[in-house]
Amino acid sequence: MGYAPRLAVTGFHPLDGARFLRDIHAADGRLVRLVANHSLALLEAEERGLRDVLEVEFPLLDDQRLVDALVYCDMTTTPDGEITSVEARLAEITARYGSDSLVGRFIRRASPEILAAVERVETALAAQPR
């Protein structure tokens, strides 16, 4: 969400996608906030000088399980929707953008919490009866 050229106003897809959903589609506020803040987007927003804008327009949700579930979904699938490990996904992002790029710096900073979120979801899933 937010990568399409007609949506890419700031070039930061979480913010552009969330604004599109809010302003054009009047989407549910909770959904819009999830899109805006998915996978620790505040850290990347900080790298881009957009953290204040993101925090004011789209405050973080208080539902940690839901936030973790979205991180899990985002970080255990490839850009084409294939299942992958979180480690492979983080490596793919780093390889695609370069380790010294803005996104590379962000992913390095975000990796510990991304890994922790995925672990929390996998632990919760393992505890569910089959």
Side-chain angles (χ1 to χ4, degrees):
M1 180 60 73
Y3 285 107
R6 71 183 184 100
L7 306 183
V9 175
T10 68
F12 182 44
H13 77 273
L15 181 57
D16 293 337
R19 284 176 171 171
F20 175 75
L21 288 173
R22 179 192 64 198
D23 300 344
I24 305 302
H25 292 285
D28 176 78
R30 193 168 169 196
L31 171 66
V32 171
R33 288 168 60 192
L34 281 168
V35 167
N37 289 290
H38 75 281
S39 299
L40 289 97
L42 274 179
L43 294 179
E44 185 175 345
E46 188 175 294
E47 291 280 338
R48 294 174 179 274
L50 294 170
R51 184 180 178 119
D52 292 342
V53 172
L54 191 64
E55 285 180 312
V56 169
E57 281 190 55
F58 305 105
L60 287 171
L61 289 175
D62 293 331
D63 187 341
Q64 190 63 52
R65 281 188 189 187
L66 183 58
V67 170
D68 284 352
L70 184 57
V71 170
Y72 176 84
C73 292
D74 187 29
M75 292 294 159
T76 60
T77 55
T78 66
D80 9 342
E82 299 296 319
I83 295 172
T84 190
S85 70
V86 64
E87 295 82 8
R89 178 77 164 112
L90 293 169
E92 178 275 319
I93 292 167
T94 301
R96 183 166 21 124
Y97 290 95
S99 61
D100 293 329
S101 70
L102 183 148
V103 174
R105 290 191 309 271
F106 149 70
I107 214 66
R108 249 190 331 276
R109 287 180 62 203
S111 287
E113 184 53 33
I114 289 169
L115 291 166
V118 169
E119 177 64 27
R120 288 189 294 267
V121 171
E122 288 176 342
T123 299
L125 288 172
Q128 295 298 311
R130 300 263 179 218

